[in-house]
Amino acid sequence: MGNENQPRTTLADLKEVGSRGCILDVNGDDAVAIRLMEMGLTEDEEIEVIGFAPLGDPIEYSIRGYRISLRSTEAARVSIRSI
């Protein structure tokens, strides 16, 4: 059970290469949220920051043994627990 008063941490909050987190959930139930879950961003999966585009967006991540790139707006929809 989470503390409702703590600020929410998202993938977009991981600002350094090598930062890792454990996915808690994907916020929303629209097409973008469904696509993120179809790409493997599901509860309890570990995800790591691999790199940033020259202007900082998109961000490359490693999850389930493959790499994906997400826009910061997409990453902000994924709640995580830092590890």
Side-chain angles (χ1 to χ4, degrees), residues 28 37 65-66 83:
M37 289 186 279
Y66 65 91
I83 53 177

Side-chain angles (χ1 to χ4, degrees), residues 11 14-19 48-62 67-71:
L11 270 183
L14 298 178
K15 300 294 187 191
E16 295 184 20
V17 172
S19 300
E48 179 179 358
V49 177
I50 299 297
F52 297 87
L55 297 177
D57 193 24
I59 307 162
E60 185 176 21
Y61 299 96
S62 175
R67 294 178 176 199
I68 61 171
S69 293
L70 300 177
R71 296 275 178 206

Side-chain angles (χ1 to χ4, degrees), residues 4-51:
E4 299 297 325
N5 296 325
Q6 290 184 342
R8 188 173 67 105
T9 301
T10 69
L11 270 183
D13 296 323
L14 298 178
K15 300 294 187 191
E16 295 184 20
V17 172
S19 300
R20 296 173 33 167
C22 182
I23 296 173
L24 299 175
D25 66 4
V26 176
N27 300 304
D29 58 359
D30 60 358
V32 173
I34 292 169
R35 184 175 64 89
L36 292 171
M37 289 186 279
E38 288 175 344
M39 291 190 314
L41 282 78
T42 56
E43 187 176 352
D44 293 332
E45 286 298 326
E46 289 187 14
I47 190 164
E48 179 179 358
V49 177
I50 299 297

